[in-house]
Amino acid sequence: MHRTCILPRLAYNSIKKSVSSYLPYIFATSFAVAVFFIFSAIAKNEMIERLPHASYLSGLMQVGKVLLGIVLVPFLFYTNSFLMKRRKREMGLYSILGLEKHHIGFIISTETVMVYLASVILGIVTALVFSKLIFLMLLNITNLPVEAQFTAKSSCYIQTIIFFGSVFLLNLVINLIQVSRANPADLFQSAQQGEKQPKRLWPSTLLGAAALAGGYYLALNFKLSSTFILVVFGSILLVILGTYFLFASGIITSLRLLKKNHRYYYNKKNFVTISGMLYRMRKNAASLSNICIFSTMVIITLVCTVSLFKGLDSIADYRYPHDVDIRFVDGQFTQHEALREVILSESAAQNVAVSDLIGFEYMSMGLKLHENAFVPVESKNDYSKIYTMRVLRLEDYNRIENTDETLENGEVLFFCTGADYGGRKLAIANKTYNIKKELQSLRFETKEPRSLQSIYYLIVPNKEEQAQLFRAMNRTEDQWIYTVRFDTAGDEASQERFAGNISDRVTQMPGFNRFDSRIEGEKQDAVILGGLLFLGVFFGVIFMVCMVMIMYYKQLSEGFEDKTNFDVMQQVGMSQSEVKSTIRRQILTVFFLPLLMALLHTAIALSPMETMLSTLNLFNHKLIVLSTLGVSFVFAVVYIISYHMTAKAYYRIVRR
C-alpha cells in the first residue's frame, strides 16, 4: 500500500486505539467550541441590541467571549501537552521502525486536522441544538421579552472556526517542534519521564511563599481606587505564581524534611508513602496548581453568582428607598399643587395606592473634604474624593420626620448615607458649624456604612441660612432641587402604567430634571445583573469542566506511570491490599491538597469579593458569607465525586 494511504490510516488508528485519551479531549474542545459559538451568537444578535435596556447585555456577552478565549487557550494547550506526552512513545516506535520525521509530522498533522474537524462540527451542532434553550434561559433571567428570535450570523461560524483553528495550529506547531528536536530514543522513553525536579528547592519555596503572602496582602488590603484593576490582577498573578511554586517546591521541601527524620521515615507505611509522594509531587506540580486555580475560580464565580441572585431584593431596597422619585431644578418649579393633583388623579385612574408622599427643597453641591473642611472641587478626575452635599431646611426635616428639633444660630444637624462623619464641627464656605446631632436615619434615604458613594445631608435652621450658603459658594454647578417621593401599591402592570403616565406628564412641567421609578429601575437592573448571573453560571460550568478534565488526565497519566511501580511493589513482598492502601493514601493526599489550598484562597478572597459586590449595591455580609460556605461545601462534594469518577480510570490502568 502506498505511504500516502498508510500514513492517514496510521493517524486514524492511533486515535482509535487511544480513544480513552482522545475522546475526553474531543469532548472538551467540542464543549469549548459550543460555548464560544453561543456567546458569539448572543453578542451579535440584532434583536438583543434593539430590545429596551438590552444594550448592556450585548456588551456583557462581548466581554464574556473575550474572557472565555483567555480561559480556554491555556486549557487547550495543557490538554494537548498531555496527549502529546502519551503519543511520544508511539512516535519513537515509528521512528525506530523507519519512518522519517516528516512522515511523523504528517501523521501528527493529520491527527490534528481530524480532531479539529470533529471538535468544530460536534461543537457547532451541539450549540445549534441547545442554543435556543440557553437563549431563552438568558432572556428569562434578564426579564427581557421572550419573543426575541435566536439567530446566528455567518460571522459567528467564521470567528469560531478561525479562533479554534488558530489554537489547534499553535498546538500543532509546538508538537512538530518537540518531535523534530528529539531523537527516537528520547521519544520512546519520554512517556516514562516526568518533569525534572527543581534544582533550587529552598529559593523556589521562599519565592512561592513570598508571592503567596504578597497576593494575600493585596487581597486583604484591597480598596476601590483608580488603580484597583492593577491591584486585582497583581493579586491574582501573585497567588497563581505562589501556588505553582509551593506545589512545585514547597511540598517537596516539606517531604524532604520528613525524610531526614529517620525515626519517622523508616517506618513501613511512612517510607512508601513519602517516597511515592516525592515521586508524584515533582511530576505533577503543574496539574495540581491548575486544579487548585480552577477550583478557586469555580468557587469564587459561583459565590458571586449565588450572592447576586439571592440579593436582588436587597439591592433594589438600597437603590430605591421610595418607589418613585421626581426632581425639578433651578427653583423654577412652582406647580406643587398641580403635581400633587397629577399623582393622585393617575393613582385613582390606574387603581394604584400612593403612600408616604413627601416633597422638599434642597441645595445640592459637589465638594471635597480637605482638613475637616468641605471645599470646592478643583479636579473632577478623582471621583472617589468628591462628595455630594445636600442642604435642607429644618422645617422640612421636622415635617418629614415628624419631629420637633430646634437649632441655634451656627448649629446644624448632619446625616451621611455612608459611614458616620464623626466630627463635632463642620467647615464649609468659610463658615464653621457646630453639629448638634449626627442623624442615623432619614425617611427618604438608605444608610449603608459600607457604601463607597456617600451623600451628606446638612440641615440648617432656615431658608436664609440655606440661601446664604448658596451665595457664598457662588458656583454655577450648585443647584436648587425640588423633589417629590412616594411609595405605590397595586398589581405590577397597574404600577407600571401609573409610572409611565406620571413620567409622561411631569416631563412637560417647567424645570423637570429626573424621574426614577423602582419598577423601571428593577427592569434595567435585571438586564445588567441577569447578564452577570448568566455569565457567572456559564463560567462556573466551564471552570468545572476544565477542572474535571485536568483531574481526569492527571489520573490517566499517573495510572500509566504507576503501573510498573504497582507490579514492583508486589514483587518485593507487599500484599496487593497494602499496595492499594498505600497508593490510595498517596492519591488522596495529593488530590485534596489543591482543594484545601483553593478553600484557603477563597477565604482570603472573601473581603475583596464583598468590596466588588458593594459596587453593585450588594452590602449583605451575612448573605455573602453563607453563600461562600454553601458553595464551598457543595463544591467539595462535587470535587470528591469527580475524584472518585476519574480515579476509576486510574485503577483500570494499574490493574491491567
Side-chain angles (χ1 to χ4, degrees), residues 428-441:
I428 181 172
N430 298 320
K431 186 172 182 178
T432 300
Y433 293 96
N434 294 318
I435 298 176
K436 181 181 179 182
K437 184 190 296 184
E438 182 163 4
L439 306 171
Q440 292 302 308
S441 65

Side-chain angles (χ1 to χ4, degrees), residues 11 161 366 498:
I161 291 170
F498 168 74

